[in-house]
Amino acid sequence: MSNIIDGKSVAEKVLAECGQEIEDLKNQGIIPGLAVVLVGDDPASKVYVGSKVRKCAELGLHSRKIELPSNATHQQVLDVVNELNADPKIHGILVQSPPPPQIDEDAIVRAIDPAKDVDGFHPENVAKLALEDSSGFVPCTPAGCMRLLKEAGVETSGAEAVVIGRSMIVGKPMALLLMSKEGNATVTVAHSRTKDLAEVCRRADIIVAAIGRPEFVTADMVKDGAAVIDVGINRVEDASAKRGYRLVGDVAYDEVAPKCSAITPVPGGVGPMTIAMLISNTIKAARQSQTS
């Protein structure tokens, strides 16, 4: 029954569109620029930053990777952000999360020029999302989820949607997008204190799982024909796996997929979309910098 939503192919489509936009901007003498700041030596963060920088190079974007030691002070990170805010060649700034504990991440986000906040986490961009002001930047993962629903032909208008998770990174912006005039869905945001979560989920035409708990959503929580977007990516120990672990989402894929009209796998679903939407946001920032 299920239509497996191939995030990799949709991301390639988005990046192809980005490539054309980059060429158009270059013809106008504009090269979109993205700066990625990495504090510390977290292995997963290094992988993410490396993939972002490589994608920029492939597409012909100007990119800067700034690496600071794990003992960098909050002021040092702030100084880097302020320097990038003032650099006209940089249109997008991303400080890789999570930073070491001595860094006040919220203060760093607030220090980024909202016009360069391609992560969409600055309070000004959060407000613009709530106000449906298209000049703001939408967080990359929720924006990618909306694109996946669209590409899969999932009708959001009039649908009942349940978002599991209420983070500022995914849950809250996802709910705002689904209930916007573009999404037109009726949205419930569920979380750890939701009573009878399974019953709430069973009402949903669309489930977005972003709770960070491996295989949390099981078949008994999903009605027949629902569309499921699995944002989670969790390592689960598995002695039979080559690396000693396997990656799973927040949805028990094998048991849920047969009930769904559409579902994203993990890996290969939402993950590839995040970098694609980051590049898209950077291009948008470069365009808007010419009119500001």
Side-chain angles (χ1 to χ4, degrees):
M1 181 180 182
S2 62
N3 164 29
I4 298 170
I5 305 173
D6 185 350
K8 188 176 179 182
S9 67
V10 177
E12 286 171 357
K13 182 177 179 179
V14 172
L15 290 169
E17 294 166 0
C18 288
Q20 185 57 58
E21 288 190 72
I22 290 164
E23 287 304 310
D24 292 345
L25 285 169
K26 283 183 176 179
N27 291 335
Q28 300 170 45
I30 304 160
I31 300 175
L34 174 67
V36 184
V37 182
L38 176 63
V39 187
D41 49 13
D42 178 72
S45 292
K46 278 185 174 287
V47 170
Y48 291 145
V49 168
S51 60
K52 288 165 185 171
V53 171
R54 281 195 302 276
K55 192 55 67 178
C56 285
E58 287 173 23
L59 291 167
L61 271 77
H62 168 59
S63 70
R64 283 184 65 186
K65 179 172 73 169
I66 299 164
E67 295 186 84
L68 297 173
S70 56
N71 63 352
T73 66
H74 178 78
Q75 188 59 50
Q76 285 175 310
V77 180
L78 205 56
D79 289 344
V80 168
V81 168
N82 289 331
E83 177 207 333
L84 295 170
N85 281 339
D87 186 346
K89 291 182 179 178
I90 295 298
H91 302 102
I93 301 169
L94 181 151
V95 179
Q96 185 63 42
S97 183
Q102 75 273 16
I103 308 301
D104 182 344
E105 187 170 12
D106 287 344
I108 296 299
V109 167
R110 284 167 169 76
I112 296 171
D113 180 348
K116 296 188 177 189
D117 167 42
V118 288
D119 254 344
F121 298 153
H122 189 283
E124 187 172 311
N125 284 315
V126 174
K128 285 184 174 183
L129 175 58
L131 293 167
E132 300 188 43
D133 180 339
S134 62
S135 69
F137 297 99
V138 177
C140 300
T141 300
C145 292
M146 290 298 286
R147 181 64 184 260
L148 288 174
L149 287 168
K150 181 179 178 182
E151 293 289 333
V154 176
E155 181 59 72
T156 59
S157 183
E160 184 154 0
V162 171
V163 178
I164 311 173
R166 52 181 167 178
S167 75
M168 289 303 301
I169 296 171
V170 181
K172 288 176 182 173
M174 188 75 228
L176 286 168
L177 287 169
L178 283 165
M179 74 173 72
S180 70
K181 290 186 180 70
E182 178 189 350
N184 283 316
T186 300
V187 182
T188 300
V189 178
H191 45 78
S192 59
R193 300 294 178 90
T194 300
K195 292 181 179 178
D196 202 354
L197 179 59
E199 182 58 35
V200 171
C201 290
R202 278 193 290 271
R203 298 199 306 261
D205 304 304
I206 299 167
I207 295 175
V208 180
I211 200 169
R213 292 173 64 178
E215 300 182 323
F216 177 81
V217 178
T218 50
D220 66 303
M221 299 169 69
V222 181
K223 76 175 183 181
D224 289 340
V228 175
I229 302 292
D230 188 351
V231 180
I233 184 157
N234 310 282
R235 286 190 181 190
V236 173
E237 289 184 19
D238 184 347
S240 66
K242 186 177 179 181
R243 293 177 290 186
Y245 66 88
R246 57 191 171 89
L247 296 176
V248 301
D250 291 354
V251 176
Y253 182 86
D254 289 343
E255 63 177 84
V256 170
K259 301 185 75 173
C260 297
S261 60
I263 187 170
T264 57
V266 176
V270 174
M273 294 298 294
T274 301
I275 291 178
M277 303 316 289
L278 174 68
I279 300 294
S280 179
N281 273 352
T282 303
I283 294 165
K284 177 179 175 178
R287 282 194 188 282
Q288 292 186 167
S289 72
Q290 304 309 301
T291 57
S292 60

